[in-house]
Amino acid sequence: MSKKSKQNSQLPASQALPGFGGSASEQWQPLIETVALRFNQEFRGEPFDLPEEVEALPIFRERVAGTLQTRITSSFWKVLKPEKNQSCLDIGCGVSFLIYPWRDWNAFFYGQDVSTVARDALVSRGPQLNSKLFKGVQLGAAHQLKYEANQFDLRSQRDSVVTIPWITGKLLQQKSGGC
């Protein structure tokens, strides 16, 4: 199904995520870079390598057909819709500011993502769509947020909230003494 790509699975040093201090954090860097590369390829519409045995799995076929995400996730705004003038952090934002109705919500958007392609698209187009609501996007992994504590009224991870209850509470939180 996917074409085999000959691209290197590592990001160039110039695009590596900064700030991973300590030996334990450094062990995550190659994994994060692999994920970032995969998302960069997806955002550019390029194929990415998967083993044939993965492509044979029913879950892979559901993803390709577009039916998997609706079965396992809920759009974050259906769980907790951003309100007017709320500061919202979207972790793993991708290009969400370009495709979700932030203007209708009149909420302030902040993002963080590992994809340089998504970040560059948002930095380029976000202010043109609404410079008042678009507050920027940082390049970085979810475990290293580049924002101040208590800065946000609402935060979400990726573009949806997993509907498994013990995960949902951790991925989407409303401000109550500390976001």
Side-chain angles (χ1 to χ4, degrees), residues 72-74 157 160-165 167-169 171:
I72 64 171
T73 64
S74 296
Q157 186 159 350
S160 54
V161 177
V162 179
T163 57
I164 302 168
I167 294 176
T168 303
L171 297 184

Side-chain angles (χ1 to χ4, degrees), residues 11-12 19 25 28 34 41 43 82 93 95 115-116 119 141 148 160:
L11 289 173
S25 293
W28 284 96
T34 299
Q41 289 174 303
F43 286 125
C93 59
V95 294
S115 170
T116 56
R119 188 240 4 230
E148 298 295 320
S160 54

Side-chain angles (χ1 to χ4, degrees), residues 35-48:
V35 170
L37 175 69
R38 208 290 264 149
F39 279 117
N40 285 341
Q41 289 174 303
E42 184 173 334
F43 286 125
R44 285 191 299 253
E46 298 172 356
F48 48 91

